[in-house]
Amino acid sequence: MSRAIDGTKRLNRRKKILKLTKGFRGRRGTNYKAAKDALVAALADSYVGRRDKKGDMRSLWIARLNAACRAQDITYSRFIEGLNKAGVKLNRKALSNLAIEDNAAFVEVVNVAKKALGA
């Protein structure tokens, strides 16, 4: 029996790789061998990037909270300390959204933190 070297399985596998690398620069998007190597690296980077994004977002929320807290004459670290002493269980994402969308409610949360600190 003759060997099939141009069958659909092989072609479909190659088309799948090339479809995923569409938009890559140069040979990496059109040449199968280069595309395969580029795709392995791209998928590994995207895996790492999804985990890095979580830390990046937390840093963004903290920066926003620090700015909003300083407008209320308290630092971010003292604000978090006050919330912990008051037993307030709000995460940084929720606090950041509160500071952006409902400033009056955020001011009340800051007052609760200040009161717990005894300031």
Side-chain angles (χ1 to χ4, degrees), residues 64-76 79 106 110:
R64 286 177 176 170
L65 281 174
N66 192 22
C69 288
R70 286 180 186 273
Q72 302 300 319
D73 298 325
I74 189 172
T75 62
Y76 166 77
F79 172 65
F106 182 73
V110 170

Side-chain angles (χ1 to χ4, degrees), residues 26-52:
R27 264 187 345 131
R28 295 164 59 108
T30 56
N31 178 267
Y32 173 72
K33 196 170 185 180
K36 186 176 62 169
D37 295 338
L39 184 64
V40 168
L43 292 176
D45 289 344
S46 66
Y47 176 83
V48 171
R50 284 193 299 275
R51 273 121 197 98
D52 286 345

Side-chain angles (χ1 to χ4, degrees), residues 2-3 13 16-17 26-27 37-38 47 51 55 63 66-67 70 80 82-83 100 111 113 118-119:
S2 60
R3 199 182 92 168
R13 186 180 70 242
K16 181 175 74 173
I17 298 288
R27 264 187 345 131
D37 295 338
Y47 176 83
R51 273 121 197 98
N66 192 22
R70 286 180 186 273
I80 293 297
L83 290 182
I100 293 168
N111 289 337

Side-chain angles (χ1 to χ4, degrees), residues 10 14-15 18 23 25 29 33 35 39 43 48-49 57 61 70 77 79 82-83 89 91 95 103-106 114:
R10 178 173 176 264
R14 287 172 174 249
K15 278 172 58 174
L18 290 173
R25 297 183 79 144
K33 196 170 185 180
L39 184 64
L43 292 176
V48 171
M57 291 308 295
W61 298 328
R70 286 180 186 273
S77 60
F79 172 65
L83 290 182
K89 299 287 181 193
N91 61 19
L95 287 168
N103 197 31
F106 182 73
K114 284 181 178 178

Side-chain angles (χ1 to χ4, degrees), residues 90-117:
L90 285 173
N91 61 19
R92 284 150 184 82
K93 180 180 180 181
L95 287 168
S96 176
N97 284 339
L98 197 63
I100 293 168
E101 294 170 6
D102 190 2
N103 197 31
F106 182 73
V107 170
E108 289 302 315
V109 174
V110 170
N111 289 337
V112 168
K114 284 181 178 178
K115 192 174 186 182
L117 289 170

